[in-house]
Amino acid sequence: VNVHNAPDHVSIVEQLVDREFLLFSQFRYFRAIYSTAWFCHGIIGLWRRDRFTSLLSEHPFLPFGEDGWLGAMNLLQGHKMSQELRSICTTFAPSRLLPPINCSSGRQQGYGASNIWKQRALRWLVNAPRRIIHRILLFVFYDCGNVLGNFVFRVESTFHLIQTSSQLGAPIVLSLLLVNGEFAFIFATFGAYILVQIVFALHINYVLWNHRPDIQQSLMCTMLYPLYTTFLAIAGTVGNLKCIIW
């Protein structure tokens, strides 16, 4: 959460980001155990110096996504990466989803971005289409060292490629549905998605995390989380399209 705010003054957006970080930390820990982590987070990652320096000559040095590129190239060299949950990091989290109206100021840097939209749509999520060829090569050639690891890695890689392709195609599909007047189908699909996500979020918070009251989130945060992930999906779509045309 935002280190500048006292715990009782943390905004609902910061709570949602905190929940998101908890979830993907757990997921990436699973990934590291059963296959390999995909990249090392820039602000909290530890690199072996020889591996880090060996990647710099191939790095594209784009404005954003340096850690994701390093991770992909490291995997292409056949290395593995790990995730550690016993270390604690307090970091910045934007306190609002969108920038103020008629305000173009605010930093675009990732963890220092003034809002979630700038952090995700303009920075974090603008590189996936550029790395499709890398993901395909890893899908074909990467070896985790065991059958289970290779299976998990390829299942995840498939979902990642499907997600990237879906986000690129979503505006076209949605436009066609709107043109054809499929409003009932759109609302029914969105409603079903939100309902499933609410059930899933409640299950995680009150069943799987029942023994961890220190990381459980409030009911309001849990119920709003599906809408937050929908917002992130929209940001991802914009970010991926920006990647293509920028």
Side-chain angles (χ1 to χ4, degrees):
V1 297
N2 193 336
V3 68
H4 300 294
N5 288 348
D8 58 343
H9 288 87
V10 174
S11 71
I12 186 62
V13 173
E14 291 166 295
Q15 294 177 47
L16 291 166
V17 173
D18 192 42
R19 178 181 174 85
E20 178 193 7
F21 282 13
L22 286 167
L23 287 170
F24 72 53
S25 293
Q26 295 282 345
F27 173 71
R28 287 169 182 170
Y29 183 61
F30 164 85
R31 174 187 282 171
I33 291 176
Y34 291 100
S35 59
T36 177
W38 283 21
F39 67 96
C40 187
H41 283 281
I43 63 162
I44 55 174
L46 296 175
W47 279 90
R48 293 184 179 180
R49 184 175 297 180
D50 59 333
R51 293 190 183 178
F52 180 79
T53 55
S54 70
L55 300 172
L56 295 181
S57 61
E58 302 177 14
H59 200 289
F61 289 101
L62 295 169
F64 308 123
E66 68 288 342
D67 46 8
W69 282 104
L70 287 169
M73 292 186 297
N74 191 50
L75 293 180
L76 285 170
Q77 292 187 4
H79 300 307
K80 294 184 69 174
M81 289 173 280
S82 298
Q83 170 90 0
E84 175 60 70
L85 289 185
R86 292 173 294 180
S87 300
I88 303 298
C89 176
T90 300
T91 185
F92 175 88
S95 58
R96 59 189 307 150
L97 290 175
L98 296 167
I101 299 175
N102 298 325
C103 178
S104 60
S105 63
R107 300 174 59 195
Q108 286 191 16
Q109 289 86 343
Y111 285 91
S114 56
N115 56 79
I116 296 293
W117 183 259
K118 281 190 174 182
Q119 186 186 65
R120 309 304 174 90
L122 304 183
R123 187 182 194 272
W124 286 15
L125 305 176
V126 298
N127 277 293
R130 291 190 180 99
R131 289 197 290 261
I132 285 180
I133 184 61
H134 301 76
R135 294 300 172 198
I136 293 175
L137 289 172
L138 288 168
F139 180 90
V140 176
F141 296 110
Y142 187 74
D143 183 14
C144 291
N146 59 79
V147 174
L148 178 60
N150 287 330
F151 175 76
V152 171
F153 182 81
R154 279 154 181 81
V155 169
E156 281 200 75
S157 297
T158 300
F159 277 113
H160 174 78
L161 291 170
I162 291 174
Q163 180 186 41
T164 303
S165 303
S166 298
Q167 288 181 329
L168 289 172
I172 299 174
V173 174
L174 182 59
S175 298
L176 291 174
L177 289 173
L178 290 173
V179 169
N180 292 327
E182 299 289 347
F183 303 108
F185 176 79
I186 293 173
F187 285 114
T189 302
F190 180 70
Y193 166 80
I194 293 296
L195 180 60
V196 170
Q197 290 299 311
I198 287 176
V199 172
F200 190 53
L202 291 171
H203 177 71
I204 291 176
N205 202 58
Y206 296 107
V207 178
L208 299 183
W209 287 351
N210 182 56
H211 66 300
R212 291 295 305 274
D214 56 314
I215 64 173
Q216 281 183 313
Q217 307 296 304
S218 67
L219 178 60
M220 178 182 291
C221 176
T222 304
M223 296 295 289
L224 289 176
Y225 192 71
L227 295 177
Y228 173 72
T229 57
T230 302
F231 177 84
L232 294 183
I234 296 172
T237 298
V238 173
N240 283 341
L241 291 174
K242 183 175 184 289
C243 171
I244 297 296
I245 64 177
W246 178 54

